[in-house]
Amino acid sequence: MWWILACTDPVADSGRRVDTDSGVVEPTFDLPRSPTWESLDEGVATGLGVSDWDADGDVDVVVSYGNDIRPGPIAVYENDEGLPEQPTWTSSKTAFYGHLSIGDVDGDGLDDVAVSRFLGPDRFDTPGGVEVHRNVGGALEPLWASEEAFFTFSCALGDMDLDGDLDLAVAVGEHYHNDPDHSLVYENDGTGAFTLVWTTEAPRHSFDVAWVDLDGDLDLDLAFANAGTPHTVYENLGGSLATEPSWEAPGEAFEGNSLDFGDLDGDGLPDLAITDNTQKTGDGLARAYCGPDLEVCWTSDDGERYQSAISLEDVDVDGDLDVALGSWGQSSLGDSVRVYSNDSGVIQSTSGYKSSTSTVIEAFAWADLDGSHDQTQTLSGHRLIEVPGRIVRVTGGVAGDRVATGPGALEVEYLLPAPRDLVVTNWDEEHGNHVYGR
């Protein structure tokens, strides 16, 4: 939490300040309170990713539009000494797109896009599906789409079988009007063609999904945020997934919207952070589940909300991961970006930063858009390497979400923690997408 102090001294390079009278350390999140950039395009922005899309050395922004409100396109904002207010490329196809995942699925060195199509043309009466689009030098062209139709809000690229290409996990479910369904994994043949190889045994309403090595055995397990039933993890058993969960979240009120992962408590194992909405079955709180047993180790304590976006990021650059939260609002639509400080493995229950702008927040991404803070480091390892920042290059394998994987020896170049800018998608059509630049 913030302390109102009369006398403070900086703690060099720590991103914190110390009260010289009491010795209390406070976070100094240097994010601006208001956005430094806002897009001018109209639409219901939902999915978000950052990547050096055109391979020119700086980070671009990819957004998918639609949600369950109004069909929209996939759009790319190319960074050329700053983001343009209008997309530089927009797909001709529109759909009720949900969230997206970015990675090189065809091995050509350029990042491609997998995107969930939440609803079909008749909204809740027709299911959507999942699509993969190839990057052809700054534009996208359709590469693959599921033959099966299903309601899906999120998907995640990750190397399930450690063969050096990215497979595709799909969170399936729509809990407003439709029955639970089975979530899916499609295996990549290395060219960007996908075959269905796994489904969950029990149907659920799943709204977000992530590949993460939760048990430390150097393969990727699969985590889901669920609505109406507990959040789940499915263990990777030597390149294939168990059909029944190895972990179910404790508790009773679940309406999972988004999840993220990272080592919050400093024990060397990744932890899960999940938001629960409060429209139907949830309690409107966010929680962290810490390893190795994924027990509840943090719960937000600043009011029930329609919790949505969550992201783990070292915002104050002091060596541990803080928690950034967004929501659609409380009693009415619109809410601030909130950041909860992590103090040596202990996350504060109330936020130490709130933006002055209130929007209907859908997703977060972090990137040093002007490159002023970027520094790289190279790591070597075998089969799987998790890193705390965006992966720039992998030799011997492929990059997923902060994870490099492959069949043997790996070398990974990644960005060290730094004061990165926050990118936000809003599905409030009265606001554009935002950047809080540092």
Side-chain angles (χ1 to χ4, degrees):
M1 61 184 296
W2 285 98
W3 295 86
I4 300 175
L5 303 174
C7 182
T8 59
D9 287 337
V11 179
D13 300 323
S14 70
R16 292 173 175 262
R17 290 152 58 92
V18 61
D19 180 0
T20 54
D21 295 325
S22 67
V24 173
V25 177
E26 57 160 330
T28 56
F29 299 123
D30 60 350
L31 285 175
R33 298 285 174 170
S34 300
T36 56
W37 174 88
E38 181 171 356
S39 65
L40 295 179
D41 55 318
E42 297 180 354
V44 185
T46 302
L48 174 64
V50 293
S51 166
D52 184 3
W53 188 254
D54 47 8
D56 66 349
D58 51 29
V59 183
D60 310 301
V61 174
V62 184
V63 177
S64 51
Y65 291 82
N67 209 295
D68 62 1
I69 301 170
R70 181 161 64 89
I74 303 168
V76 178
Y77 299 82
E78 288 188 7
N79 186 354
D80 184 9
E81 298 183 356
L83 293 178
E85 294 178 332
Q86 299 278 1
T88 50
W89 180 89
T90 304
S91 65
S92 58
K93 177 182 177 179
T94 62
F96 292 101
Y97 286 121
H99 288 265
L100 59 84
S101 182
I102 291 179
D104 181 8
V105 303
D106 56 3
D108 66 353
L110 295 174
D111 279 339
D112 310 300
V113 174
V115 61
S116 286
R117 200 170 63 249
F118 187 32
L119 309 177
D122 297 321
R123 298 186 74 223
F124 297 103
D125 292 331
T126 53
V130 66
E131 304 171 357
V132 178
H133 298 260
R134 185 201 308 268
N135 183 346
V136 289
L140 289 171
E141 64 178 21
L143 176 62
W144 176 87
S146 61
E147 295 179 2
E148 303 84 4
F150 39 77
F151 298 100
T152 171
F153 199 54
S154 298
C155 60
L157 292 166
D159 187 4
M160 176 182 68
D161 47 11
L162 301 184
D163 63 352
D165 56 41
L166 292 172
D167 308 302
L168 178 61
V170 185
V172 176
E174 189 287 298
H175 74 148
Y176 295 126
H177 305 286
N178 289 276
D179 293 334
D181 203 348
H182 303 271
S183 290
L184 313 166
V185 173
Y186 293 88
E187 185 178 18
N188 187 355
D189 70 356
T191 69
F194 293 85
T195 303
L196 181 63
V197 294
W198 180 85
T199 64
T200 53
E201 183 171 287
R204 298 175 186 262
H205 290 122
S206 297
F207 279 84
D208 202 6
V209 58
W211 294 99
V212 51
D213 181 14
L214 287 165
D215 52 12
D217 63 351
L218 298 182
D219 54 26
L220 292 173
D221 310 303
L222 195 58
F224 288 96
N226 302 315
T229 58
H231 313 309
T232 47
V233 170
Y234 294 82
E235 186 180 0
N236 192 325
L237 304 171
S240 61
L241 295 170
T243 56
E244 295 186 357
S246 58
W247 173 81
E248 294 189 352
E252 296 180 354
F254 298 99
E255 194 174 344
N257 182 276
S258 298
L259 64 82
D260 199 8
F261 63 88
D263 184 6
L264 289 167
D265 56 5
D267 66 353
L269 292 172
D271 310 306
L272 287 180
I274 302 177
T275 58
D276 282 294
N277 212 289
T278 187
Q279 286 184 308
K280 291 173 65 70
T281 58
D283 57 12
L285 303 176
R287 291 179 177 84
Y289 302 87
C290 290
D293 298 321
L294 296 181
E295 298 176 342
V296 175
C297 56
W298 172 77
T299 303
S300 62
D301 188 25
D302 51 5
E304 296 179 5
R305 287 169 158 82
Y306 300 135
Q307 302 281 8
S308 56
I310 189 165
S311 180
L312 306 186
E313 170 78 6
D314 188 1
V315 182
D316 51 11
V317 199
D318 67 345
D320 49 32
L321 294 173
D322 308 299
V323 179
L325 279 181
S327 84
W328 304 335
Q330 298 184 70
S331 58
S332 60
L333 292 178
D335 201 2
S336 301
V337 176
R338 293 161 285 139
V339 181
Y340 301 73
S341 174
N342 186 344
D343 186 7
S344 301
V346 179
I347 308 164
Q348 301 303 304
S349 58
T350 55
S351 55
Y353 163 92
K354 289 184 180 180
S355 65
S356 60
T357 303
S358 181
T359 60
V360 186
I361 297 167
E362 189 57 46
F364 293 144
W366 300 86
D368 185 7
L369 292 170
D370 64 4
S372 60
H373 301 290
D374 275 350
Q375 297 182 58
T376 61
Q377 179 167 307
T378 301
L379 289 177
S380 298
H382 186 73
R383 296 182 66 197
L384 186 149
I385 301 175
E386 294 181 354
V387 299
R390 185 171 65 87
I391 295 174
V392 177
R393 178 185 56 83
V394 179
T395 302
V398 67
D401 183 7
R402 290 162 288 166
V403 180
T405 52
L410 296 170
E411 185 177 87
V412 181
E413 183 181 356
Y414 71 98
L415 296 178
L416 290 168
R420 284 188 273 263
D421 311 312
L422 173 61
V423 189
V424 181
T425 51
N426 307 299
W427 59 254
D428 182 350
E429 294 184 84
E430 295 183 1
H431 293 273
N433 303 304
H434 288 159
V435 170
Y436 294 81
R438 295 196 275 183

